[in-house]
Amino acid sequence: MAGDNNFRSIALDGLEAAKLVARLSWHRNLTAWVFMPAGVLLILLACFGVNSLIGLSSVSFPASVACLIVLFLALIILDLIIGDRKTRAIVNIVNVPAGFALRWINIFFTPSFVLLPLSPPIGGVEVAKIIAVFLIGFFVVFIATAYLARFLQLIVGASKRAITERAEEMGDESDAIPLADSNPRRHNSETTLASEWSSPGFVDDSTNDLMAPQRAQDPSQIRGTGGPPESDAPNHSVARSQILQAPLPLTRPQRWAAFVNLNFDRLTYLILFLFIGLPIYYSTGYAMPAQLTFNILAYFAALSLPARWRQFLHPVLVSSAITILGVWILGLIRGDSLDTSLKTYKVGTNYLDLWDGEKHLKMPGAGDLLVSVLDASIVALALPMFSYRLELKRHFFAIVIPNVAVSVGSLFGYPAVCYAIGISAQRSLAFAGRSLTLALATPAVKNLGGDANTVAALAIMSGILGALIGGRVLDWLKIPEDDYVTRGVTLGGNSSAIATAVLLVSDPRAAALSSLSMSLFGIITLALTSVPAIVKAIDSLVDL
């Protein structure tokens, strides 16, 4: 009898917790699981339409970058025609899917690393050469970019005002550059219990950066902390001496609901993995649902590492390593080798192939879906560019000239040097995208015929190295701390999104310039690699 009562009590508490979760999180879940996927789908449909138009010509240019440019120009035109307020309303709508794509852009890079075991074997001597070129090239290009940007700053007489003097020019700092955050805000999966309860329930805060407090408080029991005075003439000395009563502890349903809300996305993907992905994989052999959900769970695990660890153990690297291990183990259970399992992870069928109506396509794998959504992230780069359009206009030459110089130098310098010292042609071409953010490096190197896995490793390592020592190198070069233009352009053009994340903490102004720099650098490089004559000239440097 007692056991039945306990079971009934647990069931009732579970039902109450479920009601609390549903009452608070329904709007967030509607946005996360309906509006955002629908918005991403619309972005990809736009890319498909633009790709179809590009296909009518002889130009080879990624549709995602074309949509990025179109969206950026369209927002500028709208701002001029209908004004800032109405344009921001449109930006807020676009930001539902675009902000998601930018916040989680890092996970879309993982397929390049997960597939590294399938890369052709490489000798130790060539590895040593690659490391040497990478390190020497990083410092040479970094120093050259810094001095060129600094020189242009001095030539045009740009002022170098302190951070406090420029704070108002950056506008609302809620426009933080989401793609630069290697640990995306957990507002997509976390909710909070109110610090004061008038009745059991949840309160969603405006920022959605939410977490459950350890205790709940009964407002009727609070003394001297916000309620009306107990007499018409407040006695401040008495108020200061009043002792707060101990808050009431959370009930069991409240604790359960807080845990579920705090880990809603993780629990959802875990359930999908266990009860949908695995049964489909082991009954039909189709690996995508299991591998995709495991990849996402691996990324969540990588984000849970302490912040100081993530400076060295970047979430892309950690989640990729976990995913490789998981894919291998899942395949072993079926009797498949690692190579066989990884070949089901990415089969080469993307959304453009599916919507173009190609026949006899393989069902897409987890890597194919992630790479497809990466196109939405590329388009979404238009939003941070638009947010800091005034900075682009104000510092146009200091941003554009170094990026053009580094782009041209990387395209023609790296492949020639790498090939001359004995690095293979495809890996030599991959160095041309070494400084780019991976979202743009991948299509640029693909245009050249370079190795995608090599450029993925180079781009991520450039970001990590810049985040670790970029600031110290700039100090060593005597770049003033308040010269945010030089710092932003140098780090953005050499270490992309990962270094931008560091700047978001130390100097948001430099982070804005870094975001602009990495976006423009990528677009310039991608535009150059879309010109057949330039591609032919670069390929000739490696005898292709």
Side-chain angles (χ1 to χ4, degrees):
M1 188 68 178
D4 292 340
N5 290 334
N6 288 335
F7 178 79
R8 185 171 181 273
S9 175
I10 292 173
L12 291 175
D13 287 347
L15 180 61
E16 179 65 22
K19 291 179 179 178
L20 293 176
V21 171
R23 189 169 73 190
L24 175 65
S25 63
W26 72 268
H27 184 270
R28 185 208 70 88
N29 291 330
L30 182 65
T31 300
W33 295 93
V34 177
F35 295 153
M36 281 197 286
V40 169
L41 186 63
L42 288 175
I43 293 175
L44 295 181
L45 281 171
C47 291
F48 173 72
V50 171
N51 183 73
S52 299
L53 293 176
I54 294 175
L56 299 176
S57 67
S58 59
V59 178
S60 175
F61 194 79
S64 56
V65 179
C67 289
L68 182 160
I69 297 171
V70 170
L71 178 58
F72 176 63
L73 295 177
L75 291 175
I76 290 178
I77 294 172
L78 285 174
D79 187 55
L80 294 175
I81 296 175
I82 65 177
D84 180 71
R85 174 178 291 184
K86 293 181 178 178
T87 303
R88 281 190 174 274
I90 295 174
V91 168
N92 289 337
I93 296 174
V94 176
N95 191 54
V96 173
F100 161 80
L102 289 178
R103 284 191 298 273
W104 297 98
I105 190 172
N106 280 329
I107 197 173
F108 307 138
F109 297 153
T110 55
S112 296
F113 287 90
V114 172
L115 296 176
L116 280 177
L118 296 179
S119 299
I122 179 172
V125 174
E126 187 171 359
V127 170
K129 292 177 181 178
I130 290 174
I131 294 174
V133 173
F134 171 79
L135 292 175
I136 295 173
F138 177 87
F139 286 105
V140 169
V141 175
F142 192 94
I143 293 171
T145 306
Y147 279 140
L148 179 57
R150 177 66 175 165
F151 174 74
L152 291 171
Q153 284 290 96
L154 297 176
I155 289 297
V156 301
S159 60
K160 301 178 288 298
R161 288 167 286 181
I163 293 177
T164 54
E165 293 176 300
R166 287 286 284 76
E168 72 277 7
E169 295 183 17
M170 295 305 300
D172 185 358
E173 290 193 2
S174 64
D175 289 333
I177 307 165
L179 75 102
D181 191 356
S182 63
N183 180 18
R185 293 180 182 176
R186 298 165 70 179
H187 68 284
N188 282 339
S189 60
E190 298 181 5
T191 51
T192 186
L193 291 171
S195 61
E196 296 184 3
W197 296 64
S198 57
S199 61
F202 292 90
V203 176
D204 190 7
D205 84 15
S206 59
T207 64
N208 286 337
D209 287 323
L210 310 165
M211 55 187 176
Q214 295 180 349
R215 295 177 181 271
Q217 296 180 348
D218 183 349
S220 66
Q221 302 297 322
I222 297 176
R223 294 291 183 268
T225 59
E230 294 185 354
S231 64
D232 293 335
N235 186 330
H236 296 290
S237 61
V238 173
R240 285 193 298 268
S241 65
Q242 288 175 335
I243 301 175
L244 292 177
Q245 295 186 8
L248 295 175
L250 295 179
T251 64
R252 184 163 64 177
Q254 292 165 0
R255 291 197 304 271
W256 288 355
F259 174 81
V260 170
N261 276 282
L262 192 66
N263 300 279
F264 190 88
D265 287 345
R266 295 165 180 80
L267 294 172
T268 300
Y269 284 109
L270 180 60
I271 292 171
L272 291 174
F273 171 71
L274 293 175
F275 299 105
I276 295 180
L278 291 182
I280 290 176
Y281 186 31
Y282 291 116
S283 62
T284 68
Y286 185 44
M288 186 275 289
Q291 292 178 349
L292 179 63
T293 50
F294 186 87
N295 197 158
I296 295 171
L297 289 170
Y299 187 71
F300 280 130
L303 292 180
S304 67
L305 294 175
R308 57 190 178 87
W309 289 19
R310 290 199 304 270
Q311 293 179 358
F312 306 94
L313 301 174
H314 193 270
V316 172
L317 301 178
V318 175
S319 61
S320 297
I322 297 174
T323 300
I324 293 172
L325 181 62
V327 168
W328 179 45
I329 294 174
L330 291 175
L332 280 179
I333 297 174
R334 280 177 42 88
D336 295 334
S337 66
L338 176 60
D339 284 3
T340 301
S341 298
L342 289 178
K343 287 176 182 177
T344 64
Y345 177 81
K346 188 172 186 292
V347 301
T349 302
N350 62 25
Y351 72 101
L352 294 175
D353 300 324
L354 291 171
W355 294 345
D356 201 37
E358 294 188 22
K359 304 296 183 181
H360 309 297
L361 291 173
K362 294 182 179 180
M363 292 288 286
D368 298 300
L369 293 184
L370 294 175
V371 170
S372 293
V373 181
L374 179 60
D375 276 4
S377 298
I378 295 175
V379 177
L381 287 171
L383 295 190
M385 289 179 63
F386 175 74
S387 296
Y388 297 105
R389 61 197 179 281
L390 297 181
E391 296 297 313
L392 174 61
K393 179 180 179 181
R394 184 179 294 113
H395 305 289
F396 180 81
F397 292 106
I399 297 174
V400 173
I401 293 177
N403 280 306
V404 172
V406 173
S407 177
V408 173
S410 297
L411 287 173
F412 289 92
Y414 271 124
V417 171
C418 292
Y419 191 67
I421 65 174
I423 298 175
S424 68
Q426 284 72 25
R427 296 190 180 100
S428 296
L429 291 172
F431 265 92
R434 194 275 302 170
S435 301
L436 300 177
T437 183
L438 189 54
L440 299 175
T442 301
V445 169
K446 182 179 179 181
N447 287 345
L448 297 174
D451 183 62
N453 294 327
T454 300
V455 75
L458 293 173
I460 293 296
M461 293 310 299
S462 294
I464 294 174
L465 188 60
L468 291 176
I469 67 172
R472 296 185 182 92
V473 174
L474 289 171
D475 292 338
W476 177 71
L477 296 176
K478 307 298 183 184
I479 303 298
E481 186 177 350
D482 62 343
D483 188 357
Y484 62 92
V485 177
T486 298
R487 289 178 173 266
V489 170
T490 303
L491 287 170
N494 286 275
S495 301
S496 63
I498 298 175
T500 305
V502 176
L503 290 176
L504 279 171
V505 178
S506 60
D507 188 350
R509 303 167 307 159
L513 272 297
S514 180
S515 176
L516 285 171
S517 182
M518 71 177 184
S519 299
L520 289 175
F521 182 32
I523 292 171
I524 292 168
T525 303
L526 199 48
L528 292 175
T529 59
S530 298
V531 180
I534 294 178
V535 172
K536 185 177 181 180
I538 297 171
D539 286 348
S540 68
L541 298 174
V542 296
D543 293 337
L544 290 180

